[in-house]
Amino acid sequence: MASGEKAVKVAFRNNLVIFVCKLFAALTTHSAGMMAEAVHSLADTGNQVLLLFGMKRSKIPPTDTHPFGHGKEEYFWSFIVAMLLFVLGGVYSLVEGFHKLQHPEPLQHLYLNYAILVCSVVLEGQSWLIARRSMGKHSSSDLLQGVVDSKDSGTVVVFVEDSGALLGLIIALLGTALVSLTGNPLYDAASSLCIGALLFVMALFLANEMRKLMIGEAIDPVQVRYARRIINGHEHVLAVGAIRSMQLGVADSLICIDVDFKQELHDHELEQTIADLRDKVQKTVPQLKHIFIQPAPVVARSEG
């Protein structure tokens, strides 16, 4: 099983358990913060179903109407996930928070809130660790950049969701603790408002990242450098010109390369050289499934 798919399946299982527990606690304690967290977990559970559906759709082979495959299906459904997180999670949490501000009511059985929130932290933490490992060996300082650069939408969505979920749980715990200490239920309403604002930020961030992938983001610059170096090193190549690329899916991408070949090459030698270069590039960078190398009469010489 791919690491991204594993992260999504673990997140689905954990979020389903967490949702049931949070909903029970919210209905028992009348906590707005806990109800906001329950809706958050419900949205996350549904989101994982959509992510798995998108992953399955992305594996459909190329057709006449989709000659480059269906890899971007995963990006589309990840974008839908971001929108649902925005609507189901953020809007509901804000509405519930404002309602409790206007009509505060005392919370009951707060010990249940604490127990559910602590268990939720453990389950969300497990899911977060799996998603974190799937993100690769990024240090804490460049982890955000790793999220931005990643082309694996499933892993990115789960990692961002779980990060937001852990922050939301901390906010809910803080709100519950302040209610316990002061007896003022307005702290619970405030925690719901904070969770709603957090979900808005998460949703907008994810939507923007998926938007870039959907409209045709370039591939990893490291892959471009590998391709350039391989082609520049061939004895029949004078220089490498413009390189244009597009991410077509998590493990599928396209690259078009302009190459200045030696003028004395015969047509059959040129065709064989292009075929050899295409094979070498694809073996070095397996994610490059669609490689187009075209002769250019004159291009500026580039360093490999």
Side-chain angles (χ1 to χ4, degrees):
M1 185 190 301
S3 59
E5 186 175 351
K6 178 183 178 182
V8 174
K9 288 184 175 180
V10 171
F12 168 76
R13 180 197 66 199
N14 289 0
N15 278 314
L16 183 60
V17 173
I18 292 170
F19 162 67
V20 173
C21 295
K22 285 179 179 177
L23 181 62
F24 173 74
L27 294 175
T28 303
T29 64
H30 306 292
S31 167
M34 182 60 81
M35 183 59 76
E37 276 295 305
V39 173
H40 181 184
S41 294
L42 175 62
D44 285 351
T45 303
N47 289 345
Q48 266 82 67
V49 174
L50 292 178
L51 288 176
L52 290 171
F53 178 72
M55 288 178 175
K56 182 177 180 180
R57 292 279 305 171
S58 69
K59 296 174 183 177
I60 297 176
T63 63
D64 291 340
T65 56
H66 295 84
F68 293 109
H70 296 72
K72 288 193 176 184
E73 282 264 11
E74 187 170 342
Y75 298 151
F76 169 77
W77 289 106
S78 296
F79 182 82
I80 297 298
V81 162
M83 292 297 94
L84 289 176
L85 190 65
F86 183 90
V87 175
L88 289 180
V91 172
Y92 178 85
S93 298
L94 290 180
V95 170
E96 182 71 8
F98 282 120
H99 175 73
K100 291 296 184 180
L101 281 177
Q102 296 171 342
H103 307 284
E105 57 180 290
L107 274 62
Q108 305 172 9
H109 311 294
L110 287 180
Y111 65 88
L112 186 59
N113 265 13
Y114 287 118
I116 297 300
L117 289 172
V118 171
C119 290
S120 297
V121 168
V122 173
L123 290 173
E124 289 287 4
Q126 179 200 19
S127 179
W128 184 89
L129 286 173
I130 293 175
R132 173 67 180 86
R133 285 196 291 268
S134 299
M135 289 298 303
K137 297 180 179 179
H138 295 283
S139 64
S140 299
S141 59
D142 68 354
L143 184 56
L144 179 59
Q145 190 60 46
V147 171
V148 172
D149 292 340
S150 177
K151 313 300 181 184
D152 188 344
S153 60
T155 299
V156 167
V157 171
V158 171
F159 178 77
V160 173
E161 278 187 349
D162 288 346
S163 298
L166 287 172
L167 288 174
L169 289 167
I170 293 172
I171 293 171
L173 274 170
L174 180 60
T176 302
L178 289 173
V179 172
S180 297
L181 291 173
T182 66
N184 188 347
L186 292 181
Y187 286 113
D188 179 58
S191 69
S192 181
L193 292 174
C194 290
I195 292 169
L198 173 66
L199 293 178
F200 276 138
V201 172
M202 286 171 46
L204 291 175
F205 174 79
L206 284 175
N208 185 54
E209 291 305 306
M210 296 308 111
R211 175 193 62 83
K212 291 188 292 185
L213 290 167
M214 286 171 62
I215 65 176
E217 189 173 42
I219 66 175
D220 189 336
V222 174
Q223 297 177 6
V224 175
R225 287 198 294 271
Y226 281 145
R228 183 186 293 275
R229 187 176 300 124
I230 290 169
I231 295 175
N232 258 332
H234 197 282
E235 59 180 348
H236 292 162
V237 173
L238 295 176
V240 177
I243 297 181
R244 297 168 296 279
S245 65
M246 182 187 300
Q247 194 73 32
L248 299 177
V250 173
D252 189 2
S253 52
L254 174 152
I255 190 168
C256 299
I257 309 170
D258 292 338
V259 180
D260 183 14
F261 292 98
K262 291 181 178 179
Q263 297 299 311
E264 61 268 23
L265 290 177
H266 297 294
D267 287 347
H268 71 278
E269 292 177 314
L270 180 61
E271 292 174 2
Q272 185 59 50
T273 299
I274 290 175
D276 290 343
L277 287 173
R278 187 184 296 115
D279 289 342
K280 288 182 180 179
V281 171
Q282 198 157 49
K283 287 178 180 178
T284 304
V285 189
Q287 295 90 340
L288 292 176
K289 302 291 177 60
H290 310 280
I291 303 170
F292 300 93
I293 299 174
Q294 56 187 13
V298 179
V299 295
R301 185 177 296 275
S302 302
E303 292 298 327

